[in-house]
Amino acid sequence: MTSSQSHEFARQLVARIERWPIAGSFTISRGAKTEAVTVVAEVSHGGHTGRGECVPYPRYGETAETTLAALQAMQEPLSRGLDRTALQAAMPAGAARNALDCALLDLEAKSRSQRVWTLLGRPAPRACTTAFTISLGTPQAMAAATAKAARRPLLKIKLGGDGDERRIAAVRKAAPESELIVDANEAWTSDNLERNLHACAELGVTLVEQPLAAANDAALARIKRPIVVCADESVHDRASLSGLRERYDAVNIKLDKTGGLTEALDMADAAHALGFEIMIGCMVATSLAMAPAMLLAQHARFVDLDGPLLLAHDREDGLRYEGSLVYPPEAALWG
């Protein structure tokens, strides 16, 4: 490699852990938290810096520290010319690759003075309606939280197993006009699956997300599903779509699972071709993590990109939210 080629590929990577306080707490079936721990990757070259943000997920064995280390280990490959295409094979799908994939996309867009959707040959994103999440709690606490959000058109309700029929009934009473989707986060069992599904259907719930544990979801293929059932923990990237069609009607695509926008776009195309409905989801994080997903949201039946709304404050130049409408990112944020 000549010195001029070496200079051309001399990208510099900086990665760090950030902590963002949550407004109150965020509770699902696996526990509660009061802050969002994110990892940010910044790749600089030629006077431009691209950024990407990810949320390590303990459910998949990830921590902020291991994710940071995985990113830092990519400095040498980046300096030797690793590009976004090669990255897909160089790192496994997961949070670390998501941050780096999105940072490289942002850098490429800035370097070419283009918006990222133009770069990728995709339609310009438009404002869309996002779900707003109601954390798991007692039926009374969830009804009170729902009443404050009852004017929002789409609510996502976190459930947790025992008592879910009472929870969803209380929520529906508090928000009679809102479309409801629910997320059990693997907390149901084969014993209460059909009862809970029918209770949701009777109360007009549109979708149930990941009712059973990913390792024990075969029962979904043996029952008649009265409403749409969406895979989350059971689906990660294109390779995990195979065999899910008998068990699920929809898939939740999250960048932290797919390992970035590059794979997520291909996964959405593949899922559509297989007949799945698409949900675009997120972890609790800042607008930097949501921005790339706006390219996916344009063709999704369900959009759940409310992460910044759950924080005490967002980062500078964050996405614009007007009620439940979320607008595409400005270039100052990403892409």
Side-chain angles (χ1 to χ4, degrees):
M1 181 180 292
T2 67
S3 59
S4 62
Q5 288 175 316
S6 177
H7 174 73
E8 179 186 354
F9 293 127
R11 300 189 187 97
Q12 294 299 313
L13 170 65
V14 174
R16 62 181 177 274
I17 297 171
E18 296 183 347
R19 299 179 183 275
W20 297 84
I22 291 172
S25 66
F26 180 75
T27 305
I28 66 172
S29 62
R30 283 188 284 272
K33 59 183 181 180
T34 57
E35 67 176 5
V37 181
T38 72
V39 181
V40 173
E42 294 182 345
V43 182
S44 299
H45 180 249
H48 302 284
T49 298
R51 302 186 299 170
E53 177 180 312
C54 69
V55 180
Y57 199 12
R59 168 67 176 78
Y60 304 129
E62 298 174 334
T63 68
E65 291 73 22
T66 59
T67 300
L68 181 65
L71 283 168
Q72 290 170 335
M74 299 307 294
Q75 173 60 78
E76 184 181 353
L78 283 169
S79 67
R80 287 190 280 106
L82 181 82
D83 62 12
R84 184 169 52 87
T85 301
L87 174 66
Q88 308 308 308
M91 297 184 79
R97 195 179 79 187
N98 175 31
L100 189 51
D101 181 74
C102 292
L104 288 172
L105 274 166
D106 189 31
L107 176 62
E108 190 174 352
K110 287 180 167 60
S111 298
R112 297 190 182 189
S113 299
Q114 292 182 323
R115 295 312 307 266
V116 71
W117 43 87
T118 304
L119 190 71
L120 295 172
R122 297 275 173 164
R126 304 178 305 276
C128 59
T129 298
T130 179
F132 182 80
T133 302
I134 304 298
S135 284
L136 176 65
T138 65
Q140 296 79 8
M142 293 180 72
T146 300
K148 296 176 182 177
R151 291 189 177 182
R152 292 183 180 272
L154 178 62
L155 297 177
K156 178 175 176 176
I157 313 304
K158 290 290 187 178
L159 298 179
D162 292 340
D164 279 349
E165 291 176 84
R166 295 190 299 277
R167 290 186 181 98
I168 198 64
V171 163
R172 171 50 84 197
K173 185 176 180 180
E177 303 299 325
S178 300
E179 181 178 9
L180 300 182
I181 58 179
V182 304
D183 185 3
N185 283 116
E186 304 180 282
W188 294 358
T189 68
S190 56
D191 292 333
N192 63 26
L193 173 65
E194 291 186 85
R195 185 175 72 250
N196 284 341
L197 282 175
H198 282 286
C200 287
E202 289 176 2
L203 290 165
V205 173
T206 305
L207 170 146
V208 174
E209 191 179 346
Q210 197 67 44
L212 301 177
N216 190 32
D217 63 359
L220 289 167
R222 300 193 294 266
I223 66 169
K224 184 177 180 180
R225 300 185 292 272
I227 57 177
V228 172
V229 177
C230 179
D232 182 2
E233 287 85 352
S234 288
V235 66
H236 295 261
D237 52 15
R238 278 175 293 171
S240 62
L241 288 171
S242 177
L244 290 184
R245 198 65 186 91
E246 293 183 351
R247 285 172 272 175
Y248 295 97
D249 312 292
V251 292
N252 187 345
I253 299 176
K254 294 178 179 175
L255 301 189
D256 283 315
K257 292 190 302 178
T258 66
L261 181 61
T262 300
E263 171 64 21
L265 288 168
D266 289 338
M267 180 182 174
D269 293 341
H272 271 134
L274 290 169
F276 287 107
E277 289 195 82
I278 303 294
M279 178 178 183
I280 302 306
C282 71
M283 307 296 285
V284 183
T286 79
S287 285
L288 181 57
M290 308 297 123
M294 285 296 295
L295 275 73
L296 292 158
Q298 307 308 301
H299 304 292
R301 167 63 179 87
F302 302 95
V303 176
D304 178 25
L305 296 178
D306 66 340
L309 298 179
L310 306 175
L311 298 176
H313 60 89
D314 195 6
R315 68 172 69 246
E316 189 176 354
D317 298 314
L319 293 175
R320 177 161 63 100
Y321 288 86
E322 290 182 358
S324 291
L325 272 182
V326 53
Y327 288 81
E330 299 293 336
L333 174 66
W334 184 85

